[in-house]
Amino acid sequence: MGRLIPRVVVAAPASGAGKTTVAVGLMAALRRAGHTVAGFKVGPDYIDPGFHAVATGRPGRNLDPMLSGEERVAPLFQHGAAGADLAVVEGVMGLYDGALGTEGFSSTAHVAKLLRAPVVLVVDASAAGRSVGAVVQGFVAYDPEVRIVGVILNKVGSERHETEVRAGVAPTGVPVLGVLRRDARLTVPSRHLGLVPAPEQQAQAEQAVAAAAELVHQGVDLQSVVTAAHAAPHHNATPWNPTAAVLPKPVWGAPPPDLGGQPAPKRFGEDHLSIQGGRTPQTGLGRGGRPVVAVAGGPVFSFRYTETTELLEAAGAEVITFDPLTDQLPEATAGLYLGGGFPELHAEALSANTKLRDQVAAEISVGLPVIAECAGLLYLCRELDGHPMTGVLPATARMTSRLTLGYRTAVAATTTAFYDEGRRVRGHEFHRTTITPSTKELTPAWYLPAGAEGMTLPHVHASYLHVHWTATPDVPVRFVAAARSR
């Protein structure tokens, strides 16, 4: 059983109300007040947790019943809140908005109920007065199992406006915990997928977080928020443990295929990859005989779940993060993980690091196991918006105006070192790029309801799909096993 963790969920009636401002401001203001704060984000979003990390000084984490399974939400919360004395959970979209076609599955309300956590509702009052009270009353009545313990009024224009809105909320019996005015300092850079991730604009992110903390400190009754968080009841959840998660379980299926003893069936790219000639693989082990798994980071590859590296380490890897803009592969790299990010905005700079591009292509040609998600898929293509990439995959990538976004149920199209054919997973897509294969003789990574997606080699799995490995812990185990066998 996990310990009692004071906690509060920050939600809103709809997107754009100011959840991130309030959540980040609360995290930073409470940290300034001497609390050790754990920050969480409901749903698959990578960007907000980056700002949570700036605000709390701890890794940002996601709570997503769709990707991890609802049975893991409370254990992952307990794990992520270890060492903290208070947790702030930022919601997603409107309080009751969940996966399409469900009754609010993976919504903020769903997660709040799984955590038995009180909810603070952030309401954009910029275009209303007393009507805000009707909004609050409606949200309170919609689901009695969701405990809305307070309201924070955001974007209030004047004292007179505040008085009018407070008068509207008073009959609901829900206390107003704070009132926030507009503040231009809270503006952070935005782009085609939303806010710019904090690692890309660290100085601006820190300034925005500091401004949010000051705004919340001045406008919110922090002690009332802390009191509400301490009123959260105990819930029976054993903390998730990455070491326990990677212990062998028979239901995980077959071990990774032995690709060294028998020649692999010819697949797309086999002739292409052989252009490196007699290249000898970069073999070796890291400290303590652990295989080195290189994880792309820096401003380009800023999207990955915190548990990804924890699971790799638990499976026996030495994880070393490197920046593909400036670095080469770490010494003795035996596996490569390329996560998500915005390579389309750094294509020229990525392309300029020719030593790394050549090194990645050469290592893959002699069996380097690679998992690439979204940005990683683009980096493995021949080019991105006309800029040469690694050329591992026979495809070109380009930016488009069309946003692809949403949860996906995917089925592995073929057996690789990481997945068996027919394996079913849940993932998430979030991109505005597209790839165009230069050949029809390829093996996709997944079959989605809309068709085939991604590309594979026996030791490379590349696709747009982001998968939360807490639901598939055998994948990092197989990844590290493949790295160790090089």
Side-chain angles (χ1 to χ4, degrees), residues 380-469:
L380 294 183
C381 288
R382 287 176 175 166
E383 63 178 50
L384 171 57
D385 285 335
H387 299 282
M389 293 289 115
T390 61
V392 171
L393 302 176
T396 59
R398 61 182 176 84
M399 183 72 181
T400 73
S401 60
R402 180 173 178 268
L403 175 62
T404 300
L405 170 68
Y407 291 111
R408 304 286 185 262
T409 297
V411 177
T414 188
T415 294
T416 65
F418 322 107
Y419 296 95
D420 292 329
E421 182 177 355
R423 175 71 177 275
R424 185 178 296 269
V425 303
R426 280 177 172 170
H428 189 263
E429 281 190 277
F430 185 42
H431 59 92
R432 285 190 186 273
T433 58
T434 187
I435 61 171
T436 304
S438 59
T439 176
K440 294 183 179 179
E441 296 180 4
L442 56 80
T443 303
W446 304 108
Y447 290 126
L448 305 180
E453 197 275 318
M455 300 183 187
T456 64
L457 298 170
H459 55 284
V460 176
H461 195 278
S463 80
Y464 276 118
L465 204 67
H466 295 287
V467 178
H468 204 298
W469 286 353

Side-chain angles (χ1 to χ4, degrees), residues 137-216:
Q137 182 62 46
F139 272 78
V140 169
Y142 189 81
D143 185 348
E145 293 184 25
V146 176
R147 296 190 304 117
I148 298 177
V149 298
V151 176
I152 294 177
L153 305 174
N154 193 26
K155 303 178 185 178
V156 173
S158 65
E159 290 186 8
R160 184 177 179 182
H161 183 203
E162 177 183 336
T163 300
E164 192 72 6
V165 176
R166 281 183 178 273
V169 174
T172 70
V174 179
V176 174
L177 303 182
V179 177
L180 305 180
R181 302 287 198 267
R182 298 183 182 89
D183 192 326
R185 295 175 300 164
L186 297 173
T187 302
V188 294
S190 63
R191 64 159 58 114
H192 56 275
L193 293 181
L195 300 179
V196 173
E200 290 195 40
Q201 298 284 347
Q202 189 69 27
Q204 278 183 281
E206 290 173 356
Q207 291 171 6
V209 169
E214 185 60 27
L215 186 71
V216 167

Side-chain angles (χ1 to χ4, degrees), residues 293-308:
V293 173
V295 173
V300 180
F301 293 90
S302 57
F303 294 3
R304 67 177 177 276
Y305 296 116
T306 299
E307 293 81 5
T308 296

